[in-house]
Amino acid sequence: MADKTLPEQIADTVRRDILRGVYLPGHPIKERDTSAALGVSRTPLREAVRILAREGLVILRPARSPLVADPSLKEVTDAIAVLRTLEVLSGELACAEATDQEIAGIRTIHQRIGDSFETLDPLDPFEIDMSFHIAIAQASHNPALAETHGDYLARLWRIRFLSARMRRSRERIMRQHGAIVDALETRDASRARAAIDAHLLDLLANVERCFARETSKEGHE
């Protein structure tokens, strides 16, 4: 946190609160109440909200409180389709372009996911998981690809967290990520493509189950 600006630190806090359900989809983030709760002034909070808006977690509204984004299943699955293409390409390029040190770093992140999986806060392994995907995109050595990947990954954080929380399985995650790392270490682009594609297809199926469960819950309320 020390190397982050105050707005970035506030954005991190609000982002985690959105993931935990403190701020629910479609609900306003009231500037006065939120700044008071966080003990910060309104100016850095506004900048933090703009950061979250760029990530797609928050919707800005002129002269009104911003809303927590509430994307439809179609919007989410469309974004996953793009993310799937970006991640497959990232893996293929990383096999050719990543340094041995970068791939070793990806292996380390993979191991950290396993080590943190049973922590009390499910956000810990989730955030490490997201850093795993970011590291592969960065290892592609294609800045345009890494930036676009980051944009799509950010807008899917909430639904990915909900789907991960619904289907917590250390064995499944470690197996899928392990296959990706093995392919990177052997510089096998074909294996990397297949492993990443299978991982993202599993995400898509899990997200669809998550939406179906939420719809079922709403129908019984």
Side-chain angles (χ1 to χ4, degrees), residues 109-182:
I109 296 171
H110 168 60
Q111 293 168 341
R112 286 180 59 209
I113 295 171
D115 294 341
S116 67
F117 207 84
E118 299 306 325
T119 61
L120 294 177
D121 191 339
L123 267 173
D124 294 338
F126 172 75
E127 290 180 338
I128 299 171
D129 187 340
M130 294 302 96
S131 73
F132 175 85
H133 294 273
I134 291 169
I136 294 173
Q138 292 175 339
S140 73
H141 288 251
N142 185 317
L145 174 59
E147 181 179 359
T148 306
H149 172 266
D151 290 342
Y152 275 87
L153 190 68
R155 70 181 63 180
L156 289 166
W157 270 51
R158 180 180 177 276
I159 189 60
R160 289 191 73 159
F161 175 66
L162 290 178
S163 66
R165 189 174 61 182
M166 183 180 75
R167 195 181 176 205
R168 282 176 62 83
S169 170
R170 182 183 185 279
E171 180 182 353
R172 175 178 56 84
I173 293 296
M174 296 303 289
R175 182 181 68 254
Q176 292 179 356
H177 282 188
I180 296 170
V181 177
D182 290 345

Side-chain angles (χ1 to χ4, degrees), residues 25-41:
H27 286 222
I29 299 177
K30 297 182 179 180
E31 189 175 279
R32 178 182 299 176
D33 295 344
T34 305
S35 61
L38 297 176
V40 299
S41 66

Side-chain angles (χ1 to χ4, degrees), residues 17-212:
D17 284 343
I18 290 173
L19 295 182
R20 288 193 177 102
V22 175
Y23 303 108
L24 295 173
H27 286 222
I29 299 177
K30 297 182 179 180
E31 189 175 279
R32 178 182 299 176
D33 295 344
T34 305
S35 61
L38 297 176
V40 299
S41 66
R42 297 189 186 186
T43 299
L45 175 62
R46 290 189 194 114
E47 180 56 35
V49 168
R50 283 193 285 269
I51 292 172
L52 297 174
R54 289 195 294 269
E55 295 177 357
L57 279 174
V58 168
I59 306 299
L60 298 179
R61 303 187 297 171
R64 301 178 68 186
S65 297
L67 297 177
V68 177
D70 188 15
S72 67
L73 176 59
K74 177 67 163 57
E75 290 171 326
V76 169
T77 54
D78 284 350
I80 291 175
V82 176
L83 184 70
R84 179 181 165 195
T85 301
L86 295 172
E87 294 215 355
V88 167
L89 179 56
S90 294
E92 291 176 339
L93 291 177
C95 285
E97 304 294 338
T99 65
D100 290 344
Q101 183 177 10
E102 285 172 329
I103 293 176
I106 294 168
R107 167 69 73 180
T108 298
I109 296 171
H110 168 60
Q111 293 168 341
R112 286 180 59 209
I113 295 171
D115 294 341
S116 67
F117 207 84
E118 299 306 325
T119 61
L120 294 177
D121 191 339
L123 267 173
D124 294 338
F126 172 75
E127 290 180 338
I128 299 171
D129 187 340
M130 294 302 96
S131 73
F132 175 85
H133 294 273
I134 291 169
I136 294 173
Q138 292 175 339
S140 73
H141 288 251
N142 185 317
L145 174 59
E147 181 179 359
T148 306
H149 172 266
D151 290 342
Y152 275 87
L153 190 68
R155 70 181 63 180
L156 289 166
W157 270 51
R158 180 180 177 276
I159 189 60
R160 289 191 73 159
F161 175 66
L162 290 178
S163 66
R165 189 174 61 182
M166 183 180 75
R167 195 181 176 205
R168 282 176 62 83
S169 170
R170 182 183 185 279
E171 180 182 353
R172 175 178 56 84
I173 293 296
M174 296 303 289
R175 182 181 68 254
Q176 292 179 356
H177 282 188
I180 296 170
V181 177
D182 290 345
L184 292 174
E185 289 177 336
T186 57
R187 308 282 180 168
D188 189 329
S190 178
R191 283 179 59 201
R193 179 172 58 250
I196 293 171
D197 197 44
H199 185 49
L200 269 293
L201 283 174
D202 186 68
L203 167 66
L204 178 60
N206 202 33
V207 163
E208 290 174 341
R209 284 192 292 267
C210 186
F211 264 86

